[in-house]
């Protein structure tokens, strides 16, 4: 029987106008914190443009893509719960909500090929 690949989680959020540098800097701090405290999560962030329900072709905006990779759903839930209980993470979350449009965030979850 083929083994399932890792669980991949994407979160794409629109960056507020004129906040590209701040969004990138804060997202890198979030990734650094997550990778220091939970290195198995393999979290990354990158700036770009991706199509989602909040992205208009005629008026594109820059976005941040957060990516996490976990061996299974339980590991993803444990990672999320641990971060939500982390005071340093909460401070960064509050700051980043000022530079990204939180209401525009779209989450996607899928299994990668093994």
């Amino acid at each position: 029987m083929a083994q399932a690949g890792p669980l991949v989680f994407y979160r794409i959020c629109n960056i507020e106008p004129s906040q590209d540098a701040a969004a990138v800097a804060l997202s890198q701090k979030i990734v650094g914190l997550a990778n220091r405290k939970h290195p198995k999560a393999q979290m990354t962030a990158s700036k770009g443009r991706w199509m989602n329900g909040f992205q208009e072709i005629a008026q594109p905006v820059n976005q941040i893509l957060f990516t996490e990779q976990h061996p299974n759903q339980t590991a993803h839930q444990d990672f999320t719960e641990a971060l939500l209980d982390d005071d340093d993470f909460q401070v960064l979350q509050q700051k980043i909500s000022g530079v990204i449009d939180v209401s525009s965030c779209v989450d996607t979850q899928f299994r990668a090929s093994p």
Side-chain angles (χ1 to χ4, degrees), residues 9-28:
F9 175 81
Y10 284 172
R11 172 168 285 156
I12 299 171
C13 303
N14 291 352
I15 299 172
E16 295 285 4
S18 306
Q19 295 295 320
D20 288 18
V24 169
L26 284 169
S27 66
Q28 292 305 318

Side-chain angles (χ1 to χ4, degrees), residues 14 20-21 25 31 40 43 49 52-53 56 61 74 78 80-82 86 93 99 111-114:
N14 291 352
D20 288 18
V31 167
K40 291 182 181 179
M43 186 177 198
R49 293 183 177 165
N52 63 43
E56 296 182 33
V61 295
T74 301
D78 291 348
T80 300
E81 288 173 13
D86 187 284
Q93 281 292 98
V99 298
R111 284 270 177 207
S113 299

Side-chain angles (χ1 to χ4, degrees), residues 15 19-34 36 43-46 64 66 88-100:
I15 299 172
Q19 295 295 320
D20 288 18
V24 169
L26 284 169
S27 66
Q28 292 305 318
K29 286 182 180 182
I30 289 171
V31 167
L33 175 88
R36 271 192 318 280
M43 186 177 198
T44 64
S46 55
I64 291 289
F66 290 97
D88 294 332
F89 180 77
Q90 291 302 316
V91 169
L92 292 173
Q93 281 292 98
Q94 290 174 350
K95 288 180 180 179
I96 204 160
S97 68
V99 298
I100 64 169

